[in-house]
Amino acid sequence: MGTLCHYLAFLLIFNPVTSEDTTTTQQSPPDDSSVTERSTATPSDLPAQFLTDHNDFINCRDNDEYFPLSKAYDVKLALISPDSDVALSKIVNVTETMIRGYRNYVRLPMNVSSITAEIGADFLPLHLTDVDVASVVGDVTKYPTNLEQLHRYGQAMKKSGSVSDKETFLEEVKVPVEVIPDIEFISAYRWNLLSVEEEYSIAAMSRLPVDYILNITSQTFEFQDLAVKLADKEGFNPPEHTIGAWFTLADSLIEETELKSKFKEYTKLLLAAPLMKMLEKMSELTAADKIKLLQDNQLTPVKVQGIWDTLNPKEDNIEDKTIADLFFSVGNKLDILQIDEFYKKTFSHLYSKRHEVEELWIHNDNVELTWPVIRYISKLHFPKVSTDQWGQKELIDMGAFGVGLTPDQLKKIPAAAFGGDPTTLDTFFSDRMSLGQLFAVFDKITENSGANYELPAALYPCLHSSLITGSESADNIKIGDDVEAMVKASVRFTPAQKIAYIGHLDTSLWNKDTLTVILKHNPSLLAEVGHKDFMDNLDMVLNIVGEATVGDFEVLVENLRKLPRRILHAWLATARDDEGVLDIDAMLDVIPGDLDYRTRIQSSVKACSIALPGLSCKMIDEIPLDRLMEVLSTYRFSMPGEVIPSDARMCFVSAIRRYLSTKAVAFNVTLTSEIELLSLLSSSDIRAIGAELLLSWGGKVLANIPHPEVSYEVMLKISEENPHLFFHNGVDFEDMEILAKQSLTILKAKNKGNVDFSVLKKMRDLLPYLTDSLMVGATDIQNFFRFAYTSPLTKGICIPHANRQNFRDLIVKGFGEPESWDSEVLTVLGDLLVTLDEADLYAIPPAALRKAVPTLVKESVYASVYLPEVKGKVEPQLYYKACNDWMTGTDSENTFSPAWERYAKWLVSGSSLVTRYLSAPTQRVALRKKREAESITVHQAVALYDKIQEIISDRNPDLSVAQRHKIGDILWQSEIILKNDLKKLSGEETNDIEKLISSINKSGVDLTDVLEKAKLRVVLSVISYLKLTAKDLGISEEYYEALLDRFTLGSRFVDGVGIVSNAVLSRSKRDTTELNYMDLHDKVMQILTDKFSDLTPIEQEV
């Protein structure tokens, strides 16, 4: 009786008898009638058609195998827990208490609007009758971020498309890099591309994902003639994240001699090999070939360094000019040691090319330069006289290499040097100068009261707000009226300076030339503008965008989307028709014809799709259900920073619930809970919605979705996006553990109980949340770390101590012990190194760290990426802080900060290995001689160990808890490093120090150096921490000073780690937005250079 009543109610909804329907007028999507056949089923036919139709999941089964949902639940139980007898009703009761209570939550069942023909067609799979692949390619290329359309086409072509149709689609479709994973998803998991014995072009096969590539058998490799196709330089163009997998496949199936002898044919493939394998494969190349490789290809720094080391100018008869020209091309990627050696051998030629270096490196913003390299190169061009004796001539001689001067050095330059001809300083400034350097110069100019010239634009950020507005005049300087120069400089303005400048522009702000410059170079200035003023001048904005060149157009669109949401919302409101109804076609700039996005915007009336990030809850509520997934998918890809504001996110969740509730009514599916509601998601729905919105339901709800294929693909989607999304919504750490455990169970069941590379890859972002160890081969593990992590953001994992240990063990199993790692392994792992303990980090060879540290610092997200929408925070938070807040643990082992601090300190120690080369060569020679002549030995210094123990014992009652903990940490850290050293000598894995020493003594190895090093580490650390004096130690002042000069940085210096820890890891909220850790630690190490370069390798390790 209940079912009959429900069905009668369902019919009434299709044939409403009242006028209470509040559905908005719906616009039709793009005309695709040439290739598609929309459902012509009447409302009463939809339930039957739904049950007899295939689903669009990877397994592509009939829906009647899963509905009613009790069937789906039985299938899932058989998959994940065959012995379980928990009823679906019990799961429903438990999970329903977890989702309720958020804003706008409506209990199920929800009231739904009338179901139109468009909605019914959208709920059912898309059917292609006569496949017009050109039209399909055109639609996808025209609207590439409409993932619902893409995946509906993919499923339809699976059924109706020929091999030729699929090949053509993969060859010709053009999508942004963010959509490439979805193309790979279709080619492999939808179409199972290589499952039939049909030959495909290498262009089509280049769209396969890495797990599918590595599963290609030798028979398929031979049938597809891949040995030949992989040498096709024109056709073989895979995305960067898969080319390494193609090499791994080729390396296992093509003879070694074949790859070596045909390096030029396989260049693209072989340059993607791991460093040592790449160098092996190029063993037959000439020096000229290697130089050409370096000049013609954009290689990573560690690979440039590896190839550079194989060049021997004398043996290979390479002319000085040739090697110098190569240095100008790739020198910014070289290791500091290589730069140092190059300087010693060819400095004269380098000096004659100084202006080329200025233009190619200093003034070229596209060239990435680390501070130590800038400092090193700049010091080569310093005048011989000290800075306090410089005049204009010295400044002219320095040119752009002035960026290597510290603020203190700049302050010593006489003010008169900055007077006179204003063009003197034009070549001195560069965008690489810090604000500290600029202010030092600005102060010198203002000191020079006799000067009267136009202030260089580079110094505009130093101006007081009153000078920018013109309300006050500067006595001895003039401020130019070059708007473009001022706007470019305003990137460094404070909020007060920006407000002052906008006020100064007044009505001229909306002049075409002025507005163009602002939109291109600093759109944040418009954040101070009222939305009414912006809307009054929207036509001018559209005119500028419409006339932009291809390159400028992309910049303008990206910059406009960063404007405040209030402005974008006002802009987006113009997408309503005369009756106030939201026009979806106008919102998305849907225009007939085969037009690219730029042409569509130029043809649009209001270009509203640029303003999509301004979407409000009211607008979301008005989106017709048959266009919801289209709008949602396009909206996600338009968001700056890929993070959806929390209010819009939850309004989309409500819209999705209405969408699924309507689908339930249309298909006559009875449901009373969220987990049943989510079971009506299709694969195309899941791909369009994305992980961030799906996670809003919470991990416990998602894990209990009764439909096994929905549950499986939801977890696939969650695991392939960036892990910081976990911080922004309704999941906590326990949720992630639940999802990870179930994901592993399902993947193992679908993979015959095995865990291999494909399982690891599909679990990527969930893998760190597993609590159990995995039985998986070392090769699969190494491939996982090399190929699954596609960007630095994907490596920003956030897990507590126990999980870090598990993940650390996985890394070590794949790559071996840390002492065997080279620089390339470090750059492959990146921020995943945060899982290593201190002994692991300091076991890594210093040379490998020195070579890798610039890349590690550049790509680290923890202290450089600010995350918006962090729970409980108004302002964006640094990544590591957001992570720590998300974990919310109070026990130090269950928080993230200890791991991050350990990793950050290790990076600082790596920077010190680079900055030691900044002292002049003659100075380094003198310092080495001083060290060799030093009378105090390690053995003599260690003699103080007993005295240190006595001091600690005597002072213990008076020490604070923090001091005791610090001293305990010193002893504990020394013990860890000692154990590691002893393990290396003994070859044993036990942590029992006495057993290790006994084993080594039996082997006859002298332990004196190892044990003395451990004691020396404690002696120096305690002296430094407790600031012990000569009197405390019972030694003479002369001996004490010699001890500090010989072994430590000196009591008057704060070690670099301490400076960074105090300035960065514990800084106040006020400092957060202004202080950049990656810049700071380079500056800190600059301060330490003179002292640190005085240490021996053993002392540096201490």
Side-chain angles (χ1 to χ4, degrees):
M1 182 64 182
T3 303
L4 177 60
C5 290
H6 183 84
Y7 188 66
L8 289 174
F10 167 74
L11 291 179
L12 284 174
I13 289 173
F14 276 115
N15 301 279
V17 294
T18 71
S19 58
E20 295 177 358
D21 182 13
T22 58
T23 306
T24 59
T25 302
Q26 301 182 25
Q27 294 77 30
S28 299
D31 179 21
D32 52 10
S33 57
S34 62
V35 293
T36 65
E37 179 184 280
R38 287 193 170 273
S39 171
T40 58
T42 62
S44 59
D45 293 333
L46 283 174
Q49 187 168 343
F50 166 71
L51 291 175
T52 57
D53 226 331
H54 289 316
N55 61 38
D56 67 343
F57 294 108
I58 294 172
N59 67 350
C60 198
R61 307 296 290 271
D62 287 349
N63 284 313
D64 65 358
E65 295 184 28
Y66 299 100
F67 291 90
L69 282 171
S70 57
K71 291 183 178 180
Y73 182 67
D74 290 340
V75 174
K76 184 175 181 180
L77 278 186
L79 195 67
I80 67 171
S81 185
D83 299 327
S84 175
D85 58 357
V86 178
L88 177 59
S89 58
K90 183 176 181 180
I91 301 296
V92 166
N93 292 334
V94 172
T95 55
E96 272 305 277
T97 63
M98 300 172 182
I99 190 65
R100 296 174 182 167
Y102 67 82
R103 184 174 55 184
N104 299 329
Y105 177 81
V106 178
R107 287 178 176 270
L108 297 174
M110 300 173 68
N111 293 324
V112 299
S113 302
S114 55
I115 300 172
T116 64
E118 288 84 2
I119 294 176
D122 191 62
F123 288 160
L124 292 172
L126 185 66
H127 294 280
L128 299 179
T129 51
D130 181 17
V131 178
D132 183 349
V133 70
S135 294
V136 175
V137 169
D139 281 351
V140 173
T141 301
K142 185 177 179 180
Y143 305 105
T145 57
N146 182 357
L147 297 189
E148 183 203 32
Q149 172 183 258
L150 170 62
H151 285 276
R152 281 167 65 81
Y153 272 141
Q155 180 64 16
M157 287 186 67
K158 174 179 182 176
K159 299 177 182 178
S160 306
S162 65
V163 168
S164 176
D165 291 333
K166 295 171 183 175
E167 181 179 57
T168 301
F169 175 85
L170 294 174
E171 289 174 343
E172 297 183 2
V173 71
K174 293 178 177 60
V175 298
V177 65
E178 297 86 358
V179 181
I180 287 177
D182 286 274
I183 298 294
E184 294 173 351
F185 186 94
I186 290 170
S187 68
Y189 311 139
R190 285 279 179 271
W191 296 347
N192 199 6
L193 195 65
L194 303 182
S195 61
V196 296
E197 290 194 359
E198 295 284 350
E199 191 171 354
Y200 288 91
S201 69
I202 189 60
M205 288 188 285
S206 295
R207 299 299 184 99
L208 292 170
V210 290
D211 51 330
Y212 205 85
I213 293 167
L214 293 179
N215 276 333
I216 292 176
T217 64
S218 57
Q219 292 82 3
T220 302
F221 190 89
E222 184 176 352
F223 176 79
Q224 295 291 343
D225 200 15
L226 282 170
V228 173
K229 291 177 180 176
L230 290 174
D232 180 358
K233 295 182 180 180
E234 297 299 323
F236 180 54
N237 285 301
E240 186 178 349
H241 66 271
T242 67
I243 191 169
W246 282 111
F247 165 78
T248 301
L249 176 69
D251 191 42
S252 66
L253 297 175
I254 299 177
E255 290 292 334
E256 173 86 5
T257 54
E258 179 82 357
L259 290 175
K260 283 185 177 181
S261 63
K262 293 185 176 180
F263 192 101
K264 293 180 181 178
E265 288 84 349
Y266 290 113
T267 295
K268 190 180 298 183
L269 193 69
L270 298 180
L271 289 179
L275 176 62
M276 298 313 297
K277 286 197 173 185
M278 180 191 74
L279 296 177
E280 289 172 9
K281 298 294 187 292
M282 62 172 54
S283 60
E284 297 181 11
L285 295 184
T286 65
D289 292 332
K290 295 175 184 177
I291 290 173
K292 184 171 175 56
L293 281 177
L294 288 171
Q295 292 174 329
D296 293 349
N297 298 276
Q298 290 297 320
L299 301 178
T300 62
V302 293
K303 289 190 175 179
V304 170
Q305 295 162 16
I307 298 174
W308 180 277
D309 279 339
T310 66
L311 299 174
N312 190 319
K314 290 185 178 179
E315 292 183 6
D316 298 332
N317 295 318
I318 305 174
E319 296 181 357
D320 284 350
K321 182 181 184 307
T322 302
I323 200 71
D325 288 342
L326 178 63
F327 179 81
F328 299 145
S329 299
V330 302
N332 62 300
K333 295 182 178 180
L334 294 180
D335 172 36
I336 191 68
L337 176 60
Q338 294 171 321
I339 293 175
D340 186 54
E341 291 178 347
F342 174 79
Y343 152 69
K344 292 174 182 175
K345 296 175 182 177
T346 60
F347 173 71
S348 58
H349 188 82
L350 175 65
Y351 191 83
S352 68
K353 296 283 187 178
R354 60 188 302 277
H355 295 301
E356 291 185 30
V357 178
E358 279 185 275
E359 292 303 317
L360 290 173
W361 287 15
I362 307 298
H363 288 304
N364 187 352
D365 293 338
N366 295 322
V367 171
E368 294 176 351
L369 285 172
T370 61
W371 167 252
V373 172
I374 292 176
R375 174 80 169 156
Y376 183 96
I377 299 296
S378 296
K379 290 188 72 172
L380 303 183
H381 303 283
F382 278 17
K384 295 181 180 179
V385 297
S386 61
T387 54
D388 59 356
Q389 300 179 45
W390 283 15
Q392 285 189 9
K393 179 182 179 299
E394 283 72 24
L395 288 181
I396 294 172
D397 288 343
M398 277 297 295
F401 295 113
V403 69
L405 293 166
T406 67
D408 286 340
Q409 289 173 320
L410 287 166
K411 290 175 183 177
K412 293 178 181 178
I413 299 174
F418 295 95
D421 185 357
T423 59
T424 302
L425 297 179
D426 285 350
T427 59
F428 183 75
F429 293 106
S430 71
D431 291 338
R432 297 186 188 275
M433 278 191 162
S434 69
L435 278 175
Q437 291 171 310
L438 295 177
F439 270 103
V441 175
F442 182 76
D443 289 342
K444 287 294 176 183
I445 290 177
T446 54
E447 283 179 31
N448 189 13
S449 58
N452 185 20
Y453 59 84
E454 188 172 300
L455 189 71
L459 294 177
Y460 288 168
C462 305
L463 292 170
H464 190 273
S465 300
S466 61
L467 296 178
I468 295 175
T469 61
S471 60
E472 294 184 13
S473 59
D475 295 332
N476 59 332
I477 56 175
K478 298 176 182 177
I479 302 173
D481 56 4
D482 185 341
V483 173
E484 182 170 352
M486 184 66 82
V487 169
K488 288 181 177 178
S490 69
V491 173
R492 295 185 175 191
F493 280 8
T494 64
Q497 287 174 309
K498 289 180 181 179
I499 293 172
Y501 184 54
I502 287 295
H504 172 69
L505 287 174
D506 196 20
T507 56
S508 65
L509 168 64
W510 303 108
N511 291 343
K512 184 175 181 180
D513 292 340
T514 302
L515 189 57
T516 300
V517 171
I518 290 175
L519 291 177
K520 284 178 61 176
H521 300 293
N522 190 10
S524 67
L525 289 172
L526 297 179
E528 311 303 332
V529 172
H531 69 272
K532 185 178 184 304
D533 287 340
F534 183 88
M535 293 306 299
D536 288 344
N537 294 278
L538 179 59
D539 288 343
M540 180 60 71
V541 174
L542 297 178
N543 181 258
I544 292 170
V545 174
E547 294 179 1
T549 61
V550 174
D552 286 346
F553 173 78
E554 294 177 356
V555 172
L556 291 174
V557 170
E558 181 181 357
N559 286 345
L560 283 167
R561 284 177 170 165
K562 294 176 183 177
L563 293 177
R565 287 179 69 199
R566 59 182 174 79
I567 291 178
L568 296 177
H569 173 67
W571 183 352
L572 200 59
T574 63
R576 296 184 182 279
D577 62 20
D578 294 339
E579 297 179 359
V581 176
L582 193 63
D583 184 339
I584 302 301
D585 286 348
M587 176 188 287
L588 302 181
D589 290 311
V590 174
I591 298 173
D594 188 11
L595 308 174
D596 61 17
Y597 185 56
R598 176 167 168 263
T599 308
R600 282 163 47 208
I601 291 299
Q602 291 172 334
S603 305
S604 173
V605 177
K606 294 296 183 182
C608 291
S609 62
I610 296 176
L612 267 181
L615 204 60
S616 67
C617 281
K618 186 175 187 302
M619 290 179 175
I620 293 171
D621 290 343
E622 295 177 55
I623 298 171
L625 293 182
D626 62 306
R627 306 294 296 275
L628 177 63
M629 294 300 159
E630 177 187 2
V631 174
L632 173 50
S633 179
T634 308
Y635 170 81
R636 285 201 302 115
F637 284 96
S638 73
M639 288 301 299
E642 302 178 1
V643 176
I644 300 174
S646 58
D647 58 331
R649 177 170 57 84
M650 294 315 297
C651 290
F652 268 121
V653 167
S654 295
I656 293 167
R657 294 178 78 239
R658 289 196 305 274
Y659 172 83
L660 295 176
S661 294
T662 306
K663 186 185 287 191
V665 173
F667 294 154
N668 195 24
V669 175
T670 303
L671 51 83
T672 58
S673 68
E674 295 295 323
I675 60 174
E676 294 171 311
L677 186 70
L678 291 170
S679 291
L680 287 171
L681 287 167
S682 66
S683 180
S684 60
D685 291 339
I686 293 168
R687 305 300 295 185
I689 291 170
E692 187 174 5
L693 286 166
L694 290 169
L695 287 166
S696 300
W697 271 272
K700 299 175 184 66
V701 171
L702 296 178
N704 283 292
I705 295 174
H707 197 304
E709 299 306 313
V710 173
S711 182
Y712 172 52
E713 292 209 17
V714 162
M715 281 183 273
L716 284 183
K717 189 60 182 170
I718 289 171
S719 67
E720 71 179 31
E721 297 192 18
N722 294 324
H724 70 77
L725 296 180
F726 306 153
F727 310 160
H728 305 295
N729 49 56
V731 291
D732 56 23
F733 182 79
E734 183 183 356
D735 286 324
M736 301 315 301
E737 287 186 308
I738 292 170
L739 289 173
K741 183 177 181 180
Q742 184 169 125
S743 179
L744 177 63
T745 303
I746 293 176
L747 284 166
K748 285 178 66 176
K750 289 178 174 287
N751 199 42
K752 300 178 180 179
N754 299 319
V755 177
D756 56 17
F757 171 76
S758 66
V759 171
L760 297 180
K761 186 256 183 183
K762 291 183 176 75
M763 279 198 71
R764 191 190 70 191
D765 292 344
L766 293 176
L767 194 66
Y769 298 94
L770 289 176
T771 54
D772 299 325
S773 300
L774 296 175
M775 297 298 293
V776 59
T779 300
D780 283 335
I781 294 173
Q782 187 170 148
N783 287 340
F784 165 69
F785 287 113
R786 288 188 179 279
F787 308 138
Y789 289 94
T790 55
S791 74
L793 268 177
T794 62
K795 301 176 185 178
I797 62 175
C798 181
I799 49 179
H801 177 72
N803 295 71
R804 290 196 298 269
Q805 282 297 112
N806 284 341
F807 209 67
R808 173 264 178 204
D809 293 343
L810 197 67
I811 292 173
V812 170
K813 186 174 181 180
F815 290 98
E817 292 297 327
E819 54 261 37
S820 68
W821 295 353
D822 60 19
S823 57
E824 194 227 13
V825 172
L826 298 184
T827 57
V828 165
L829 293 173
D831 275 345
L832 299 176
L833 292 166
V834 78
T835 60
L836 301 188
D837 57 35
E838 190 159 30
D840 290 328
L841 290 171
Y842 289 95
I844 294 169
L849 174 57
R850 187 191 68 234
K851 293 177 181 180
V853 73
T855 301
L856 294 177
V857 169
K858 171 195 160 191
E859 295 186 349
S860 180
V861 301
Y862 290 118
S864 63
V865 173
Y866 284 87
L867 297 177
E869 298 295 329
V870 175
K871 185 177 180 180
K873 308 292 182 181
V874 176
E875 297 294 329
Q877 299 293 301
L878 277 170
Y879 200 113
Y880 82 90
K881 287 189 175 182
C883 167
N884 210 51
D885 289 343
W886 179 68
M887 288 174 52
T888 65
T890 54
D891 183 348
S892 62
E893 287 193 343
N894 293 323
T895 58
F896 184 74
S897 287
W900 155 240
E901 291 179 16
R902 179 170 59 244
Y903 178 51
K905 290 176 182 179
W906 178 70
L907 288 178
V908 171
S909 72
S911 295
S912 71
L913 298 174
V914 177
T915 55
R916 63 178 299 197
Y917 288 91
L918 297 186
S919 57
T922 54
Q923 182 184 354
R924 292 201 298 272
V925 171
L927 291 174
R928 282 197 297 270
K929 289 181 178 178
K930 176 183 176 182
R931 287 197 296 267
E932 291 166 0
E934 184 60 64
S935 60
I936 296 179
T937 65
V938 171
H939 180 71
Q940 290 172 316
V942 168
L944 293 170
Y945 183 74
D946 292 339
K947 181 64 177 178
I948 291 293
Q949 286 186 313
E950 180 184 330
I951 291 172
I952 292 173
S953 178
D954 290 344
R955 294 191 179 185
N956 188 60
D958 300 323
L959 295 176
S960 67
V961 174
Q963 288 175 318
R964 292 175 190 170
H965 284 170
K966 178 62 179 178
I967 292 174
D969 285 343
I970 290 171
L971 298 173
W972 175 71
Q973 291 171 9
S974 179
E975 182 180 333
I976 287 178
I977 298 174
L978 174 60
K979 285 180 186 177
N980 189 62
D981 290 341
L982 294 175
K983 286 179 182 179
K984 291 179 188 176
L985 290 175
S986 68
E988 298 180 7
E989 289 300 319
T990 179
N991 286 318
D992 189 321
I993 290 182
E994 292 185 1
K995 288 183 179 179
L996 290 169
I997 292 176
S998 175
S999 174
I1000 295 170
N1001 284 335
K1002 290 178 182 178
S1003 67
V1005 176
D1006 188 357
L1007 282 174
T1008 303
D1009 288 344
V1010 174
L1011 297 177
E1012 286 191 343
K1013 184 173 72 172
K1015 290 183 177 181
L1016 178 62
R1017 186 179 298 109
V1018 173
V1019 167
L1020 299 179
S1021 298
V1022 173
I1023 288 175
S1024 176
Y1025 178 65
L1026 294 180
K1027 295 182 173 57
L1028 300 179
T1029 64
K1031 183 178 180 181
D1032 293 329
L1033 297 170
I1035 58 179
S1036 68
E1037 289 290 343
E1038 292 78 10
Y1039 189 98
Y1040 179 78
E1041 288 297 327
L1043 175 71
L1044 296 184
D1045 287 341
R1046 176 71 174 89
F1047 292 112
T1048 77
L1049 297 175
S1051 59
R1052 61 185 177 278
F1053 288 96
V1054 179
D1055 65 276
V1057 169
I1059 293 175
V1060 172
S1061 298
N1062 293 333
V1064 179
L1065 302 178
S1066 303
R1067 64 177 177 267
S1068 66
K1069 180 179 178 182
R1070 178 181 176 184
D1071 296 322
T1072 300
T1073 58
E1074 299 296 329
L1075 193 57
N1076 186 311
Y1077 166 74
M1078 299 308 171
D1079 291 337
L1080 178 62
H1081 81 70
D1082 281 343
K1083 302 295 184 183
V1084 169
M1085 297 318 301
Q1086 172 195 329
I1087 296 171
L1088 300 177
T1089 298
D1090 292 339
K1091 283 291 176 180
F1092 200 86
S1093 61
D1094 211 358
L1095 303 180
T1096 64
I1098 186 174
E1099 294 159 358
Q1100 290 175 8
E1101 184 177 347
V1102 171

